[in-house]
Amino acid sequence: MKIPKYIIAVCSLIVFFCSAADTLVAQRVALVLSGGASKGGAHIGVIRALEEQKIPISCIIGTSIGAVVGSLYASGYSPDEMEKLMNSAEFQRWASGTLDEKYIYYYRKEDPNSSWISTNFDFNTKFKSLLPTQIIKTHEMDFQFMEIMSPPNAVCKGNFDSLMVPFRCVVSDIDSTEAVILGHGDLNAAVRGSMSIPLVFNPVVINNKLVFDGGMYNNFPADASIREFHPDVIIGSRVAQRYDKPDRDDILSQVLSMLMERQTDTITYPRSVMIIPKIPSVSPLDFSKTSILADSGYVAALRKIADIRKLVHDTISPEVMAHRRTAFKNRQPKLQFDSIHITGLNKLQESYVRQILKHGHKIVTLEDLRREYFRFIDEGYIKSIFPVARYNDKTGYYDLYLDIRKTNDFGVQFGGNFSLGNINEAFLQLQYRLLWTNAFRFTMNGYFGKIYSSIKADARIDFNSKKPWFAEVNYTYNHLDYFKSATFFFDDKTPNYIKEMEYFGNLRTGMPVSNNGKLSLGLTYAFTNDKYYQSNTFSRNDTADQTNFNFFAPTIAFELNSLNRKQFANSGVRLLLSVSYINGREDMLPGSTAVSKIPVTQYHDWFKFRLLYDNYFQSLGPLKIGFYGECAISNEPLFSNYISSLLYSSAFQPIPESQTYFLPSFRATNFAAAGLKLVLRIYKKIEYRLEGYIFQPYQQIQENPADYSPYFGDKLTDRAWMASTALVYNSPLGPISLGANYYDKQPEPFTVNFNFGFIIFNHRAMP
């Protein structure tokens, strides 16, 4: 039987169309990006090579850092833009948890103390709740991811298929011990969840489930790409095989090795190509080598182009991609907020947060929100805060959703200083924080040592108006015993017997004038009692002279402080300008060794101006140079005798140890002093410090040997020198230092010291 020609023609056409289906229908090419922490910078180079070779990326799926890179690309970021972002100092700061200095508000900071360790607790919770859930704070990272991901999420309306490139994100649900593939919802929450390395970054709640790093259960989601996208071709970029062998010196690598489940890292799909860049050694959270890693990914991808072209016939030009990217970005609405929704706080606390973030404004810009958001975080009342911005088509603005976990109300700090000499002290502080319609802070601390003891109670309230301000009241008891301040290595053959006791209250109010600066107005009312012998010849049966000076002192001060450490800083600047008026009554009660046995009562008042400037300049390689200057200008009169005149004059104490000695050569009513500091970084946190200072009094206070009366010496004479050299290791708890100091004009000018901890005291009564 002869077959009609038209049937043969139809069959031929069917065969032709079937064989040419790959060229008539666009191929679906899926890109799979593995996890691998900072090594994910290589993914950028892979994408750059694919774009340059005109290979289309139809869809993309990623885990952990692969989710970060994949989401950025799907949101319209070019390879160059991704590299610039991930290679930036800002991105490195987000990953390390270091908050930008412009978000640190000095006026909220407590006075520096000797604490080593600080923790918060609640009497109603178990001890295990005190343990940290994260090593690195993610406050800035979370905000920046919200800023980056929310506009593209507004365009796709929470459907990741509608991004510039369809996208999937892998997270781990540890409750069900399985990987979860996210294709809908909040893009920034999905990506942050995918990179939530356990114990390193805090987890994220998605659909009422706590999710962690996707690499725990699927670090290379090639299998998921098949289920989600049904691709014709899979291109895989693998930058890490599971996680590297743990390093004994890298705690993060140890955590990752313990927590990440061993998985397959190959593609079994027949139409697939695997790209494995040659990765140099890099720390998991070191993104400073992103450009190097991107180059390695680029080279590795180029080597696979021939294999890819055997499977992928379609092309897309860079010009078309640039046009598509621009069109997608132009559709993204600007971040402006008109409503704030808060979970995790009570109604009064919610009202407090809204007042801070909005200040009564109907619309809040991104910059205004950023400033107030980090100001709120800096108050220290919250443990974690996760922001999500959702675009509202009806209003044309974003709704801000904040999931907030407040810190426990009670806090404790402890520390002090351990010394081979007499500068041993213990420090303990208890604190209660109350977040209400305003922020309250109640603190009590104590120092306990041979030379110095102190108790301080403090209460503070912060008013978060558009221009914030605070009010604070405190009461302090200080006791110093200079008789016990002989060093371990040297005995002072004629030690001065001097004991100082102070009881004073202070009322203060202030406001910020910059991120690092504050202006404050204070009023001090003090009762002081000093006991001393005016000669070094006395017995157990003798009684000491006493000077009581009760005074009040209003003070206005401007202070700027960006020093990076509370002791042994090596960067930043501190500037203090203060003007005080002191008015009080002196009552001198003679002891058994006094020449005159007649009590003396005098009234004194004077003005005092103080300037302190401490600055560390730019590094010269491993060397930092610092300058320290200080001056006091006053019309302070002399007291009834030499010792009391020195005790109430201004002291120059730039070296921590110098606070524990009574040094007449470095006390005066008017003086100027300056010095240089050289800080040489030897290895990581180990430094060698060399400091030298010159002290010039306007007129040194002198003693009349006949009756111990004081008088002013010649002008601009009697200058003195002070120097210090030390080897310092800045440990996580506090500094460990071994050094020697030189104090000019002292019976034993040299001291050798070893200290572990901080030599820091509560404020003194005299401003």
Side-chain angles (χ1 to χ4, degrees):
M1 179 180 178
K2 188 177 181 179
I3 300 174
K5 292 183 178 181
Y6 73 89
I7 294 178
I8 295 175
V10 170
C11 291
S12 299
L13 286 173
I14 292 173
V15 172
F16 172 78
F17 281 116
C18 289
S19 64
D22 284 346
T23 57
L24 294 176
V25 179
Q27 291 176 291
R28 192 166 180 81
V29 180
L31 178 63
V32 181
L33 304 179
S34 75
S38 61
K39 298 175 184 178
H43 292 320
I44 298 173
V46 170
I47 295 174
R48 177 180 286 126
L50 295 178
E51 278 204 358
E52 288 183 1
Q53 297 299 316
K54 302 181 181 180
I55 294 173
I57 299 173
S58 309
C59 46
I60 192 165
I61 185 170
T63 291
S64 194
I65 191 64
V68 176
V69 174
S71 64
L72 289 171
Y73 186 72
S75 297
Y77 276 69
S78 69
D80 288 347
E81 290 171 331
M82 289 190 290
E83 181 179 336
K84 181 179 179 181
L85 173 65
M86 289 180 58
N87 203 41
S88 66
E90 290 78 11
F91 198 92
Q92 181 65 55
R93 194 177 60 243
W94 306 345
S96 64
T98 306
L99 199 63
D100 193 336
E101 288 185 0
K102 66 183 179 183
Y103 301 140
I104 299 175
Y105 297 89
Y106 173 65
Y107 88 100
R108 292 193 186 279
K109 300 305 177 188
E110 301 177 45
D111 293 332
N113 58 46
S114 294
S115 63
W116 297 351
I117 297 174
S118 176
T119 187
N120 295 88
F121 64 93
D122 192 313
F123 290 107
N124 297 320
T125 60
K126 297 179 180 179
F127 174 77
K128 63 182 181 181
S129 66
L130 302 180
L131 299 176
T133 58
Q134 64 192 93
I135 298 173
I136 295 174
K137 294 186 180 298
T138 61
H139 297 317
E140 190 172 358
M141 177 195 294
D142 293 340
F143 189 92
Q144 300 297 347
F145 269 62
M146 179 201 73
E147 179 182 344
I148 291 170
M149 301 296 179
S150 295
N153 200 59
V155 175
C156 74
K157 301 183 186 301
N159 180 0
F160 300 169
D161 281 334
S162 298
L163 290 166
M164 189 192 80
V165 176
F167 171 69
R168 294 293 185 274
C169 180
V170 182
V171 298
S172 293
D173 177 5
I174 61 172
D175 185 42
S176 61
T177 63
E178 63 180 6
V180 177
I181 313 302
L182 299 177
H184 296 81
D186 295 302
L187 185 60
N188 70 303
V191 175
R192 255 292 282 117
S194 184
M195 58 178 292
S196 296
I197 303 172
L199 301 182
V200 179
F201 301 133
N202 58 310
V204 174
V205 177
I206 297 178
N207 299 328
N208 296 319
K209 293 183 178 181
L210 210 58
V211 301
F212 290 84
D213 192 296
M216 292 180 66
Y217 300 130
N218 196 340
N219 200 44
F220 185 65
D223 55 340
S225 71
I226 299 172
R227 296 193 303 270
E228 292 291 320
F229 297 126
H230 308 289
D232 299 301
V233 179
I234 295 177
I235 300 174
S237 175
R238 196 194 75 203
V239 297
Q241 182 174 357
R242 191 176 176 256
Y243 280 92
D244 290 344
K245 184 178 179 180
D247 185 338
R248 69 171 59 190
D249 296 322
D250 190 338
I251 183 64
L252 180 55
S253 70
Q254 298 170 28
V255 171
L256 294 176
S257 180
M258 288 187 291
L259 295 175
M260 300 303 176
E261 187 179 88
R262 191 168 295 279
Q263 311 144 19
T264 181
D265 50 18
T266 59
I267 305 176
T268 58
Y269 199 66
R271 298 170 63 83
S272 62
V273 176
M274 176 72 84
I275 300 171
I276 305 177
K278 185 177 180 181
I279 303 295
S281 177
V282 59
S283 176
L285 296 180
D286 181 9
F287 289 89
S288 64
K289 296 182 174 63
T290 294
S291 293
I292 297 173
L293 292 165
D295 289 342
S296 69
Y298 180 80
V299 171
L302 288 181
R303 290 173 178 159
K304 291 288 187 176
I305 293 300
D307 293 337
I308 294 172
R309 273 299 174 204
K310 292 177 182 178
L311 302 174
V312 180
H313 311 298
D314 292 349
T315 62
I316 184 169
S317 69
E319 292 75 20
V320 171
M321 280 302 303
H323 176 75
R324 183 183 296 178
R325 189 171 284 122
T326 301
F328 186 81
K329 287 182 176 180
N330 289 339
R331 293 169 58 198
Q332 298 178 12
K334 184 179 179 181
L335 276 167
Q336 292 182 307
F337 306 86
D338 69 340
S339 64
I340 298 175
H341 309 270
I342 299 169
T343 57
L345 302 179
N346 62 39
K347 295 297 182 182
L348 288 176
Q349 293 165 347
E350 288 181 20
S351 176
Y352 174 81
V353 175
R354 286 193 186 90
Q355 172 61 25
I356 291 177
L357 299 183
K358 295 193 72 174
H359 291 297
H361 297 302
K362 179 177 174 57
I363 306 300
V364 180
T365 66
L366 178 64
E367 286 306 313
D368 287 341
L369 175 69
R370 190 198 317 274
R371 181 180 63 252
E372 301 300 335
Y373 180 90
F374 286 104
R375 183 177 290 174
F376 169 60
I377 288 175
D378 197 47
E379 290 183 3
Y381 289 88
I382 64 166
K383 181 182 294 183
S384 66
I385 176 171
F386 190 78
V388 170
R390 296 173 185 161
Y391 185 69
N392 190 324
D393 289 318
K394 295 181 180 179
T395 63
Y397 298 104
Y398 288 82
D399 297 333
L400 180 64
Y401 293 83
L402 300 176
D403 182 18
I404 299 175
R405 294 182 63 209
K406 193 170 69 68
T407 58
N408 292 321
D409 294 334
F410 292 91
V412 61
Q413 298 179 5
F414 55 90
N417 185 67
F418 169 77
S419 170
L420 291 183
N422 287 331
I423 316 172
N424 293 294
E425 63 181 19
F427 172 79
L428 176 66
Q429 177 168 290
L430 299 175
Q431 190 171 80
Y432 175 72
R433 294 174 179 267
L434 176 63
L435 188 60
W436 197 40
T437 52
N438 287 296
F440 297 85
R441 187 175 71 204
F442 305 93
T443 304
M444 177 170 285
N445 72 33
Y447 288 86
F448 311 96
K450 287 184 177 181
I451 297 173
Y452 176 73
S453 298
S454 178
I455 294 176
K456 177 182 176 182
D458 180 275
R460 169 169 167 152
I461 179 172
D462 281 278
F463 299 91
N464 283 288
S465 54
K466 187 65 176 176
K467 190 66 176 178
W469 61 286
F470 70 88
E472 182 178 18
V473 60
N474 59 64
Y475 190 82
T476 306
Y477 162 75
N478 287 326
H479 179 270
L480 285 98
D481 187 350
Y482 292 112
F483 184 74
K484 297 178 179 179
S485 61
T487 69
F488 181 79
F489 299 95
F490 299 101
D491 290 327
D492 188 347
K493 294 181 175 57
T494 56
N496 286 309
Y497 176 95
I498 298 175
K499 292 186 177 182
E500 290 188 272
M501 288 186 288
E502 304 174 334
Y503 307 82
F504 64 96
N506 184 275
L507 178 63
R508 188 172 57 154
T509 183
M511 60 187 295
V513 292
S514 67
N515 281 36
N516 294 323
K518 66 180 178 182
L519 182 67
S520 61
L521 178 64
L523 177 64
T524 300
Y525 194 81
F527 302 85
T528 65
N529 172 258
D530 300 326
K531 297 179 180 180
Y532 51 88
Y533 289 100
Q534 298 187 60
S535 95
N536 290 323
T537 304
F538 56 87
S539 68
R540 291 179 179 274
N541 297 323
D542 285 320
T543 58
D545 298 339
Q546 291 190 53
T547 295
N548 298 317
F549 185 53
N550 304 329
F551 65 91
F552 72 89
T555 300
I556 184 170
F558 168 77
E559 187 168 7
L560 184 149
N561 194 334
S562 63
L563 296 178
N564 64 330
R565 301 183 191 128
K566 53 188 177 182
Q567 189 174 309
F568 297 125
N570 66 1
S571 68
V573 60
R574 183 185 178 207
L575 173 66
L576 173 65
L577 295 166
S578 68
V579 178
S580 305
Y581 170 69
I582 297 95
N583 186 302
R585 189 180 82 171
E586 174 196 5
D587 292 301
M588 191 276 176
L589 305 175
S592 60
T593 62
V595 175
S596 173
K597 307 299 183 182
I598 301 174
V600 176
T601 296
Q602 297 184 87
Y603 290 89
H604 303 292
D605 70 296
W606 69 91
F607 286 93
K608 177 181 176 180
F609 169 78
R610 184 185 177 203
L611 167 65
L612 184 154
Y613 180 66
D614 188 6
N615 190 9
Y616 291 87
F617 304 102
Q618 291 294 324
S619 299
L620 299 173
L623 180 66
K624 273 285 187 74
I625 300 176
F627 172 82
Y628 183 95
E630 187 176 350
C631 77
I633 302 172
S634 76
N635 60 334
E636 179 180 350
L638 294 170
F639 278 59
S640 59
N641 60 58
Y642 170 70
I643 296 294
S644 61
S645 295
L646 285 173
L647 285 170
Y648 291 99
S649 63
S650 298
F652 178 62
Q653 300 170 323
I655 299 170
E657 185 197 44
S658 63
Q659 300 175 75
T660 66
Y661 293 110
F662 181 70
L663 303 171
S665 301
F666 297 94
R667 286 176 176 261
T669 57
N670 292 271
F671 73 83
L676 291 177
K677 296 182 279 189
L678 303 179
V679 184
L680 179 66
R681 182 172 61 85
I682 297 176
Y683 178 74
K684 292 185 178 179
K685 294 185 178 182
I686 299 177
E687 299 171 341
Y688 171 72
R689 302 178 68 94
L690 179 63
E691 306 176 33
Y693 305 93
I694 181 172
F695 174 84
Q696 177 62 69
Y698 178 65
Q699 289 178 292
Q700 183 75 54
I701 300 173
Q702 305 286 355
E703 179 184 31
N704 188 332
D707 58 2
Y708 309 126
S709 61
Y711 66 94
F712 286 116
D714 295 335
K715 296 178 181 179
L716 301 178
T717 59
D718 302 302
R719 69 182 57 90
W721 300 85
M722 185 184 296
S724 175
T725 179
L727 189 66
V728 181
Y729 168 55
N730 292 289
S731 77
L733 293 180
I736 302 173
S737 63
L738 174 65
N741 297 327
Y742 171 79
Y743 304 106
D744 195 15
K745 301 180 181 179
Q746 301 307 303
E748 295 286 354
F750 289 99
T751 66
V752 178
N753 56 82
F754 172 83
N755 294 284
F756 173 30
F758 299 95
I759 304 176
I760 298 176
F761 299 159
N762 282 327
H763 280 305
R764 300 294 304 275
M766 187 65 68

